[in-house]
Structure formats: structure tokens, C-alpha cells
Amino acid sequence: MRFLRIISIILSFTVVALYFPFYAYALSDEEITAPSAVLMDAETGEILYEKNPHEVRACASITKVMTLDLVMEAIDGGKISLDDTVTASAHAASMGGSDIWLEQGETMTVDEMIKATVVASANDAAVALAEYICGTEDEFVTQMNKKAQQLGMKETVFKNCNGLDEDGHVTSAYDVALMSKDLIKHKKIFEYSGIWIDYLRGGKTQLVNTNKLLKTYNGITGLKTGTTSQAGSCISATAERDGLSLIAVVLGSATGKERFSDAAKLLDYGFANYAMYVPAVPENAVCDIKVKNGMKPTVRTTADVSKPFLIAKGSDSKITAEVSLKDEVDAPVKKGDKLGKIIYKNDKDKIAEYPITAANSVEQISFWSVFSILFRTLISL
């Protein structure tokens, strides 16, 4: 009998595994060894896990996430280009810590400087880029702090652009996630953060990426590591699978190995528990609505629901859509005018909303519009 009971239990679990392949699990704070960590959905900014997310801490070279964000903005805005030549100043060449041993007066392209900053975490290259964009590192740091305020980074104060320990140079895991989310909007950054080994100076200088997850984690795309005596071992790790993009931030780990392990745990938790859901447009969201005093009796509606939203994995069968539309609208109606909305819910909880808009324009009836139609009709007779 005991044998049969064991077989029955095994079969039960097998059935569950077949019909319910997803099993959600919680991530405890004890499993994450770092004192501060955050897991964020890169698309929505939703926090999926947090441990002391607003604790103010040093962050070492994670600072360069903001530096690179401003560099990418300068490129996209046409202020600088990847082919521009950057000349290292005495100040840039004087940086310690991780560097590429720039000499005063040495030149490299913006592309090469970015590569050195991302892959080798080069402090001298970061300063050279900052000076090239703003003239001085101090002015660049001012712009970094302005950008931090714009992003809502309330625990962050930058004192330099490379992350070397300095009194008052602090941030938080949540703030790091915010600036990482902003940086990866510039998809070009992944061309650098995904490099494992590369070379500068005609092959004389080898760059090896400080992010060891590039070799061990499925779907990893970046982003930046950092280590100093004050900050400990830190990482902002980005990864993507099946359209779900995640940002895992770990600050203050005791060792580099622990920081990578914690980041992998966070990403594993996110990919196991969440998915991106691409909704379908409900049939009743596309229809004709009466137009009062319009040159046409109706206006056609349309809805763009191509932007996916985050859901708990396995909950897609519970998602419902509610359509709210006006019965009648007054002319004039312009193409793109909001005429209603689609609300997607998981049980009773609202999880996404999309506007229903006018697919075409409808002019208002006027004497001249009616006269114009009559005139064209008479001409055509």
C-alpha cells in the first residue's frame, strides 16, 4: 500500500507539471547575500524584487551608467559622433584604478573611448569623454546630477564621472535601476556591453569585460560592474528572454563571485515568475461612432495595443478586456482624437490601459462646406 501511495504522489506531481508547467516561487532576502538589491522590469519600471532599495551607498563604477547615458544622448543629439577624436588631458591621464593607461595628449575615437569605459571600466576613458562633451569633468558631473533629478533619483549625488571613492558620492539600488533603464533605451550600448574581449591601439591593449555573467548567464546583455573599498562589489545586470527585459542591481557584495551569484538569482526569479503579454484588440473596440453635426455621419475607431505589458507567468488565461466608448461625438473630429479606452484586467486588478482613437477626421458641417459639396455636384453634372 505504501508503495502504491508513493506512486500515486509521483503521478500527481507529474500531472501538475504537465498541465501547470509554471510554479511561482518567492525570493527571500536571505537568498540575496548583498545588503541592497533591486529587480526591475526594464519596459515598465515595475519593481519585481527589492531589498533595502533606497539605502544610500557608494556604487563604484556603476557611476559610469550615468556617464554613458549622457554620452549616448550626446551622440543621438548630434553633439558628438563615434568617429570624433578625443584627446586625453593631464587630468584624464591621472586617474587611478581601472584604466587603459592614457597618456596626456594621446588620442582615440569616441567609439574607442566608449568601448574602454564599458568593457574595461576605464576611469581615464570616462573622464576623457566627459571633458570632450562638457569641457571639464566638473561641468559634466553637474549635468549628471541634473539628469539624476530628472529621472527621480532621490538618493543620488555624483561627485565624479567614474565612480572612484569620494565623500558624498552616493546612490541607491533603486536609483541605479532607474538610470540603467534610461541608458538601455539607447540600444547601441548593447553593442559595447556584450563584448567579451576586444583590443585598442592596434591590438596592443587588450580589453576583457568585467561582467563575467556574459560567459555564464543565458540572455545576458550587459551592463556594468563596479568595485571599490567603500562600495564593495556591485553590478547592474541586464538580460532579455522571450521579450522580457530585466535589470538586476546588486550593491555592496562582499566578493565579485557573490555579486554575480546574486544578480543571477534575481534574474532567474524574474524570468521564472513574469512574462510579457501582447494583448489582442477586442472586436468591439473597432467600430463606427455617430458624429453629431459632421460632414460624415460616423467616424471609425482604432486602437494600438502593440506595446506588451508585464504579467505573472501563467496568468494570461485570467486576463480580460473592458471597452469603454462614447456613443456619439461632436464634430469636428481629428484623426487620433481619443474616443474611448481599453482596460485590461487580471481578475479585478487593472494591469494596462490603451486609448481608442479616431481612425479618420470628420469636418464640422458649415455653410461653406455644404455649398462646396453642392457646387462640386453641379459641376460634375
Side-chain angles (χ1 to χ4, degrees):
M1 289 295 291
R2 186 177 179 183
F3 175 75
L4 290 175
R5 186 179 299 172
I6 293 172
I7 293 296
S8 177
I9 291 172
I10 293 172
L11 288 173
S12 297
F13 276 110
T14 303
V15 170
V16 169
L18 287 171
Y19 288 95
F20 302 98
F22 165 73
Y23 176 72
Y25 67 89
L27 185 64
S28 68
D29 287 353
E30 288 73 25
E31 292 178 77
I32 301 300
T33 61
S36 183
V38 158
L39 178 66
M40 176 184 282
D41 169 42
E43 180 68 29
T44 65
E46 184 175 342
I47 299 300
L48 309 181
Y49 171 86
E50 59 184 16
K51 177 182 180 181
N52 301 321
H54 300 289
E55 185 175 271
V56 176
R57 307 186 60 86
C59 68
S61 283
I62 303 297
T63 299
K64 295 184 178 81
V65 169
M66 180 61 81
T67 300
L68 292 162
D69 197 14
L70 294 187
V71 170
M72 290 298 168
E73 283 187 359
I75 292 171
D76 290 347
K79 185 175 182 179
I80 65 173
S81 74
L82 291 172
D83 296 327
D84 289 352
T85 299
V86 179
T87 303
S89 68
H91 175 59
S94 71
M95 293 297 113
S98 300
D99 55 33
I100 52 168
W101 312 286
L102 286 173
E103 295 183 1
Q104 182 180 354
E106 185 177 3
T107 61
M108 286 188 182
T109 64
V110 168
D111 175 71
E112 290 171 322
M113 290 289 190
I114 294 173
K115 190 183 298 181
T117 302
V118 177
V119 179
S121 197
N123 296 323
D124 46 4
V127 173
L129 284 168
E131 292 178 332
Y132 183 67
I133 293 172
C134 288
T136 65
E137 183 186 5
D138 286 343
E139 177 55 31
F140 187 86
V141 171
T142 297
Q143 297 305 314
M144 291 172 69
N145 284 310
K146 286 183 179 179
K147 181 69 174 182
Q149 291 177 355
Q150 292 171 7
L151 294 177
M153 297 167 60
K154 297 179 181 179
E155 288 96 33
T156 298
V157 177
F158 294 115
K159 293 294 184 73
N160 59 61
C161 70
N162 51 34
L164 288 170
D165 286 337
E166 188 170 341
D167 289 343
H169 184 92
V170 293
T171 188
S172 66
Y174 178 75
D175 283 2
V176 171
L178 286 179
M179 66 178 179
S180 299
K181 178 177 182 293
D182 201 64
L183 172 58
I184 63 176
K185 290 178 182 176
H186 307 280
K187 300 303 181 186
K188 182 74 176 177
I189 195 65
F190 292 130
E191 296 181 20
Y192 298 98
S193 64
I195 294 172
W196 176 243
I197 294 178
D198 211 326
Y199 299 87
L200 296 175
R201 299 184 176 104
K204 296 178 181 178
T205 301
Q206 185 185 63
L207 306 176
V208 180
N209 205 308
T210 55
N211 184 3
K212 307 309 178 188
L213 290 178
L214 286 175
K215 282 294 195 178
T216 62
Y217 195 83
N218 177 31
I220 198 76
T221 56
L223 184 62
K224 192 72 199 73
T225 61
T227 305
T228 65
S229 58
Q230 288 185 19
S233 292
C234 311
I235 189 171
S236 178
T238 55
E240 183 173 353
R241 293 182 192 169
D242 300 322
L244 176 61
S245 181
L246 299 176
I247 301 166
V249 178
V250 174
L251 299 184
S253 290
T255 65
K257 184 178 180 180
E258 288 182 9
R259 112 184 120 189
F260 293 129
S261 176
D262 280 351
K265 288 176 186 176
L266 289 169
L267 294 171
D268 283 346
Y269 169 77
F271 288 127
N273 286 273
Y274 298 93
M276 296 306 292
Y277 180 82
V278 181
V281 179
E283 291 184 6
N284 57 337
V286 180
C287 61
D288 293 320
I289 295 179
K290 293 180 181 179
V291 178
K292 187 177 179 180
N293 298 321
M295 292 298 294
K296 295 179 181 178
T298 62
V299 61
R300 191 68 173 173
T301 64
T302 187
D304 181 7
V305 297
S306 58
K307 187 176 181 180
F309 53 82
L310 188 73
I311 63 169
K313 217 168 189 180
S315 67
D316 50 319
S317 61
K318 299 179 181 179
I319 295 174
T320 58
E322 294 181 3
V323 175
S324 175
L325 267 175
K326 295 179 180 180
D327 295 326
E328 186 180 60
V329 293
D330 292 323
V333 180
K334 292 182 179 179
K335 182 179 179 179
D337 282 353
K338 185 177 178 181
L339 304 176
K341 59 186 177 182
I342 308 169
I343 297 176
Y344 291 89
K345 293 183 177 181
N346 191 338
D347 289 332
K348 295 181 179 180
D349 297 326
K350 174 182 171 182
I351 52 178
E353 180 178 316
Y354 298 86
I356 299 173
T357 60
N360 57 279
S361 298
V362 178
E363 295 181 11
Q364 187 177 22
I365 290 177
S366 67
F367 171 79
W368 290 109
S369 60
V370 174
F371 178 80
S372 177
I373 292 173
L374 289 173
F375 181 75
R376 286 197 300 270
T377 303
L378 290 171
I379 293 275
S380 64
L381 292 177

